[in-house]
Amino acid sequence: MSRWRQSLVSTSLLRAEADTARAASAAMVLVPSILLLLTAAPPSRAQQLVLDVDQTGNRSIDLDVSFLAAGGPAMLFEGEDPLYGEELWFSDGTAAGTELVADLWPGPESSSPGIAVALGGVFYFATSDPVHGRELWKSDGTAAGTELVLDIVPGPESSSPTALSRFNGSIYFSATTESEGQELWVTDGTAAGTELLVDINPGTESSSPLGLTAAGSVLFFAADTATHGRELWMSDGTAAGTELVLDIEPGSVGSSPLFLEAVGLNIVFSAFTATSGRELWRSNGTAAGTFQVADIRPGSDNSSPFAITFDGVSTAYFSATDGVSGSELWKIDSSGVSLVKDIAPGSDSGSPKGFAIADGRVYFSADDGTNGDELWASDGTEAGTVLVADLATPPGVQDSGPLGLTELDGQIYFEAFGSSFGSEIFCSDGTAAGTEVLLDIDPGSSGSFPSLPVKAGGRLYFTADGEDGDLDLGNELWTSDGTEVGTMRLTDLVELSSEVESFVTLGDVVFFVADDSIHGRELWLGDGTPTGTQVVDLVPGADDSDPESLIVFDGRLFFAALDPTAGRELWVSDGTVSGTMLLADLDPGEDGSSPSELTVLGELLAFRATDEQAGAELWISDGTVAGTVLVDDLRPEPEEGSSPSQLVASGGLLFFTADASDSDGEELWVSDGTAPGTFQLADIRPGSSGSSIDELTAVAGGVFFVANDGVVGKELWFSDGTAGGTALVADIEPGGDSSNPDHLTAFGPGVVFEGDNGIDGDELWVSDGTAAGTVQVADLRPGSSGSTPEHFLVFADRVYFAANDDIHGEELWVSDGTAAGTELLTDLRAGGDGSDPRDLVAAGERVYFSADGSDDFGRELWISDGTAGGTGRVSDLWPGVGSSLPTDLTVVGDGSWLYFAAWTETTWKEPFRLALPYFTDGFESGDLSAWSSTVP
């Protein structure tokens, strides 16, 4: 059984690749379904998978990878995906041996493991979990062999270990405690053998030891004390043998050693003195043996040596400037310090960087002022320092930008942007003819944008975003033995979901946007059943039309979509595939008008669009081609555009922000859909800065919004659509400071929102549009921190919201707008962590939402009737610790269905629906056996 199956994580992200995707020959495809019945309810009223849109299993969502460490043939890395966040992964160079080690912070939260150090077949690293905070862990690459070394600061507070270094059979590192500050620690891999080595800067102040570098029998590092400032220190691994090497810059300022590099039994580093500036120094661990090697830039100016790299024999290379030649390639060897070559002649800088050693030569990237930033090599002589290859096309000042130079079997591998290949991994034997792309992973001029290569066990590892025919493989882990045939995608670490979103209903038809890996990201429509769900392939093949801004108007669906000929334009659908078509090509050509912020304004559809003459301006449509027109060119300068945004309709008027002149900046405007009826309401903040309007929220009779008039700060405003009726409601935090109202939501005759009066922090507020009627509802978290209420839902004369009272964590609250009527609805996750409720919607007599109620089942779908006893989990859609992460909760049709996107172990992120009404008859929270999706 694999390490993955042995771990606490309930499901595998590692599956054999599925059969290659079926070819699509028509614009409409019906896809077979997988039906999930997740409760004991009758099938007709059950929570159902609408459609497994993507069944190919071939493409992956992006997996972000950070390489942590290599130890022998094995490698540890950080992988990030939406289900488990940033967690610890392991690879032995095979597909079967590449897997998640453990979900150390269960669910989508991230443990974020840091750079690891390998010692004796075990990796040591810092990572976080909800119980211990960020502490020191170790792993042998298995779930069973991954454990906390020591909770240095007990509880959820963190010691934040950093600068891990292997020395003398132990791991040394920097860690922080309340009593000692950040100091030097050591571990032998056991809790008992993990201890503070020495408190260099006694008391709570930190010495902040960093740059730990072993050379022979000495561990060098930089540390800070009140007496000497930041200076060079050494240790033989004992407290008594840990001491200041030399006070290079006497006094409390310090020389701030940087770029420590072991050169045999010595180190070479950069240090600062007031006399010589920042120059190159050398030390053998004694005061007498610590000295400035050379004053490369005579006087007090800095030569700024950096990127010091030892060739393993006798020479260290680095970049520095002597004040004449710019930043160029230098070396230090038995003969002393010397300029190797002035790569960019004169005072310009060649800026060599990214040094790597192969077969006695140093490779690096540099810019000679003629060829751009390209690959160079040097044997340590001026004549032997040469441009290897100019990979950019056409050759010249354009850069290929080599990065991540890594040696493998005498050759150099790196990421660069070259000629017709785009961004790919290249290899070089040090000659122009022998410098070529390793494998064109994503053919074309863009490339696969690989990460910087890392070497482990005689192989290279990197991530790249490739394609296989019409299938986008996503950003996955690749490996190479240094040959084209030996370069391959290691494994599809995270299989594909359709990434469904944007549910909209039109009568009995439900629209949504998804990607099935065959047709690209397209519009889908259906009746909520697998056989009745179809793709509308607006751009035939695997390319995306990427529909956005879906809205129902005049009995049809309007949206913006991308067409390869017309660009992004306005489309319309009557709910059938054949009735879905381009409405109007407002800006002819491939660029398109990019319609956005589609808003219903009575019998018109208002939106922002861009054409070549007017730029981004306000448009309207009556649903016909002839009736789709520019309202007015508010900023007449050619192609400038007023960039209308935040479109909100109220009382037959459209409110929006626009920047129509340099003199006024972005301010509040109103329109009735005609040019004469479109005008600026007020110049709230005179001058060109604009009033930073935000949070436009429609209520009866006008809009509330947030603005900054430059006098009272960012506060609450209201407008009835007239200049005289546009005014400040209340200065919640008096004076020039801002209360920053946020999450404005219509509530009764006014709004409910989050605001800060400067005393209580962000708390719950209400306003009826008057200063006297703008009040803080309750101080849920006493003190200045604030409870930060968010995710508001107004339902049945009450507002439901998430807030953190510092006792229960972020949980679900309810309020009628008074202090007495504001209470915690229920503590779903007992203790201080909080369930973080979000995506609240109402249907019938119930509120539905997403919450993370327990580490045992993760984030799932919940329901509430507004009481603590009537609040519970609908189901554990992804059984066990995995989270189904429900999002896009949408009540459709006549309220008989709740649609949402969710993940399961079988389908990944796909569309689901729940039959409504859904009752909670006589159950205790969390007890699913008493739930029913039928009317009692």
Side-chain angles (χ1 to χ4, degrees):
M1 181 178 292
S2 71
R3 282 181 294 272
W4 170 263
R5 290 295 180 185
Q6 293 167 348
S7 72
L8 297 177
V9 185
S10 64
T11 182
S12 174
L13 293 180
L14 300 169
R15 299 182 177 91
E17 293 185 1
D19 294 337
T20 53
R22 299 179 298 277
S25 57
M28 179 179 73
V29 172
L30 304 182
V31 184
S33 70
I34 299 175
L35 182 65
L36 298 182
L37 303 181
L38 297 170
T39 71
S44 63
R45 306 293 292 175
Q47 185 173 235
Q48 302 170 350
L49 172 69
V50 173
L51 182 71
D52 187 4
V53 173
D54 188 339
Q55 299 181 346
T56 66
N58 252 341
R59 179 177 171 235
S60 80
I61 56 176
D62 283 351
L63 181 76
D64 292 330
V65 169
S66 297
F67 298 99
L68 303 180
M75 181 183 65
L76 205 67
F77 62 97
E78 175 192 284
E80 178 185 7
D81 68 61
L83 292 176
Y84 299 100
E86 300 169 4
E87 291 295 345
L88 191 67
W89 290 66
F90 173 89
S91 179
D92 62 5
T94 67
T98 301
E99 53 200 5
L100 177 69
V101 176
D103 189 9
L104 299 180
W105 193 311
E109 298 295 332
S110 299
S111 68
S112 302
I115 295 175
V117 173
L119 177 66
V122 176
F123 296 93
Y124 293 82
F125 57 96
T127 196
S128 305
D129 74 7
V131 177
H132 307 100
R134 191 165 189 82
E135 294 292 350
L136 185 67
W137 287 64
K138 65 179 181 179
S139 177
D140 63 1
T142 69
T146 301
E147 60 183 343
L148 176 72
V149 175
L150 178 66
D151 192 4
I152 294 173
V153 178
E157 299 299 321
S158 302
S159 70
S160 301
T162 189
L164 279 66
S165 180
R166 181 176 57 247
F167 171 65
N168 202 24
S170 296
I171 298 294
Y172 292 76
F173 59 98
S174 179
T176 304
T177 65
E178 186 175 353
S179 56
E180 289 95 10
Q182 187 179 18
E183 294 295 346
L184 187 63
W185 285 67
V186 62
T187 184
D188 62 2
T190 68
T194 302
E195 60 184 353
L196 174 69
L197 182 65
V198 61
D199 189 0
I200 293 172
N201 201 11
T204 59
E205 296 298 322
S206 299
S207 70
S208 303
L210 295 173
L212 279 63
T213 303
S217 60
V218 177
L219 180 69
F220 293 89
F221 57 94
D224 202 334
T225 65
T227 303
H228 303 292
R230 191 159 192 79
E231 289 292 354
L232 184 67
W233 285 66
M234 59 81 68
S235 178
D236 62 2
T238 67
T242 302
E243 59 187 14
L244 175 70
V245 176
L246 179 66
D247 192 1
I248 294 172
E249 175 64 15
S252 60
V253 175
S255 65
S256 298
L258 296 172
F259 307 114
L260 281 64
E261 174 78 357
V263 178
L265 301 179
N266 302 292
I267 62 162
V268 175
F269 60 100
S270 162
F272 170 83
T273 68
T275 304
S276 300
R278 181 164 291 280
E279 293 292 348
L280 193 69
W281 284 67
R282 185 169 187 159
S283 178
N284 63 1
T286 69
T290 302
F291 55 91
Q292 181 177 299
V293 179
D295 190 3
I296 295 173
R297 187 171 187 173
S300 60
D301 289 334
N302 303 319
S303 71
S304 302
F306 75 96
I308 304 167
T309 303
F310 183 46
D311 69 357
V313 181
S314 62
T315 305
Y317 295 90
F318 59 97
S319 179
T321 177
D322 60 5
V324 177
S325 302
S327 182
E328 296 293 353
L329 181 66
W330 289 69
K331 70 175 181 178
I332 176 175
D333 56 18
S334 58
S335 301
V337 176
S338 59
L339 173 68
V340 177
K341 184 169 183 172
D342 188 5
I343 294 172
S347 60
D348 292 337
S349 295
S351 301
K353 55 188 176 293
F355 299 125
I357 307 296
D359 285 346
R361 302 174 78 194
V362 59
Y363 290 80
F364 54 95
S365 66
D367 185 347
D368 63 3
T370 301
N371 298 284
D373 192 19
E374 296 293 346
L375 182 66
W376 285 67
S378 176
D379 61 3
T381 68
E382 182 176 9
T385 302
V386 295
L387 172 69
V388 176
D390 188 352
L391 300 176
T393 299
V397 294
Q398 184 175 348
D399 304 330
S400 70
L403 293 172
L405 278 64
T406 303
E407 183 274 339
L408 178 66
D409 295 334
Q411 296 211 90
I412 293 294
Y413 297 82
F414 55 96
E415 183 273 329
F417 195 95
S419 59
S420 59
F421 298 108
S423 177
E424 296 289 357
I425 297 293
F426 285 75
C427 61
S428 178
D429 62 2
T431 68
T435 302
E436 58 188 354
V437 70
L438 178 60
L439 176 66
D440 194 4
I441 292 173
D442 191 359
S445 58
S446 294
S448 65
F449 293 96
S451 65
L452 306 184
V454 171
K455 182 171 68 172
R459 298 188 66 86
L460 296 173
Y461 294 85
F462 55 93
T463 60
D465 193 344
E467 294 185 356
D468 183 4
D470 289 334
L471 292 179
D472 181 0
L473 301 175
N475 192 47
E476 288 291 351
L477 186 64
W478 288 68
T479 185
S480 177
D481 62 2
T483 67
E484 181 177 352
V485 295
T487 302
M488 65 197 75
R489 186 166 57 112
L490 186 57
T491 183
D492 192 4
L493 294 178
V494 185
E495 293 183 12
L496 177 68
S497 71
S498 69
E499 289 294 304
V500 62
E501 63 182 6
S502 304
F503 294 107
V504 174
T505 181
L506 175 64
D508 294 330
V509 177
V510 176
F511 294 91
F512 59 92
V513 179
D515 185 346
D516 66 354
S517 290
I518 298 173
H519 304 90
R521 190 157 191 78
E522 294 291 351
L523 183 71
W524 290 68
L525 58 83
D527 59 6
T529 66
T531 56
T533 302
Q534 305 166 312
V535 62
V536 185
D537 197 9
L538 302 182
V539 180
D543 290 334
D544 304 330
S545 70
D546 194 19
E548 294 178 339
S549 300
L550 279 66
I551 191 170
V552 172
F553 166 66
D554 193 29
R556 291 178 293 170
L557 179 79
F558 290 77
F559 60 98
L562 182 65
D563 176 89
T565 302
R568 183 169 291 279
E569 289 292 354
L570 189 64
W571 289 67
V572 64
S573 177
D574 63 2
T576 67
V577 174
S578 59
T580 303
M581 63 192 70
L582 176 69
L583 177 65
D585 189 0
L586 305 181
D587 189 22
E590 296 181 359
D591 292 337
S593 66
S594 299
S596 62
E597 301 203 43
L598 277 63
T599 305
V600 175
L601 177 64
E603 297 181 352
L604 297 172
L605 183 67
F607 57 96
R608 165 180 166 166
T610 303
D611 69 11
E612 187 175 352
Q613 288 75 37
E617 291 291 354
L618 183 66
W619 289 65
I620 57 165
S621 176
D622 61 4
T624 68
V625 177
T628 303
V629 295
L630 173 70
V631 175
D632 195 6
D633 188 359
L634 302 183
R635 190 173 185 127
E637 295 94 335
E639 301 182 23
E640 280 287 324
S642 66
S643 301
S645 62
Q646 304 187 66
L647 279 62
V648 172
S650 176
L653 295 175
L654 182 76
F655 296 81
F656 61 98
T657 64
D659 185 356
S661 72
D662 291 337
S663 59
D664 290 346
E666 188 177 52
E667 291 291 350
L668 186 64
W669 287 65
V670 69
S671 177
D672 61 4
T674 69
T678 302
F679 54 88
Q680 181 176 306
L681 279 171
D683 187 6
I684 294 174
R685 184 172 189 170
S688 61
S689 297
S691 56
S692 303
I693 294 172
D694 199 5
E695 295 283 325
L696 268 71
T697 304
V699 297
V703 294
F704 284 85
F705 60 98
V706 179
N708 186 346
D709 64 358
V711 178
V712 300
K714 202 166 187 178
E715 296 291 350
L716 185 67
W717 288 64
F718 178 80
S719 178
D720 63 3
T722 67
T726 302
L728 174 71
V729 175
D731 186 7
I732 294 171
E733 183 170 2
D737 293 330
S738 300
S739 67
N740 293 310
D742 202 2
H743 311 303
L744 271 65
T745 304
F747 182 52
V751 287
V752 61
F753 58 96
E754 171 194 319
D756 184 351
N757 62 7
I759 300 172
D760 301 316
D762 289 314
E763 290 292 352
L764 185 69
W765 286 69
V766 293
S767 178
D768 61 3
T770 68
T774 302
V775 295
Q776 181 175 297
V777 177
D779 187 6
L780 303 183
R781 184 175 185 170
S784 60
S785 296
S787 64
T788 317
E790 59 183 347
H791 306 307
F792 295 121
L793 170 69
V794 173
F795 174 60
D797 298 325
R798 297 199 296 174
V799 57
Y800 293 76
F801 60 98
N804 186 346
D805 63 359
D806 203 29
I807 298 173
H808 305 92
E810 188 166 23
E811 290 291 355
L812 189 62
W813 290 67
V814 64
S815 176
D816 62 2
T818 68
T822 302
E823 60 183 353
L824 175 69
L825 184 59
T826 183
D827 189 6
L828 298 185
R829 180 188 275 265
D833 288 340
S835 65
D836 188 20
R838 61 183 69 173
D839 293 296
L840 280 68
V841 298
E845 299 177 356
R846 303 290 186 270
V847 172
Y848 298 85
F849 59 97
S850 163
D852 186 355
S854 167
D855 288 341
D856 295 334
F857 49 78
R859 179 170 290 277
E860 297 291 347
L861 183 65
W862 288 69
I863 185 175
S864 178
D865 64 1
T867 68
T871 303
R873 181 164 46 94
V874 173
S875 70
D876 192 5
L877 190 54
W878 186 321
V881 299
S883 297
S884 69
L885 305 176
T887 59
D888 290 273
L889 276 64
T890 307
V891 178
V892 301
D894 57 359
S896 58
W897 292 98
L898 174 70
Y899 278 72
F900 58 98
W903 299 73
T904 74
E905 181 179 5
T906 306
T907 63
W908 297 81
K909 189 177 181 182
E910 298 293 351
F912 283 78
R913 67 175 184 171
L914 176 70
L916 301 179
Y918 201 94
F919 288 84
T920 54
D921 184 22
F923 73 97
E924 295 181 358
S925 179
D927 177 10
L928 305 183
S929 62
W931 288 69
S932 171
S933 62
T934 57
V935 178

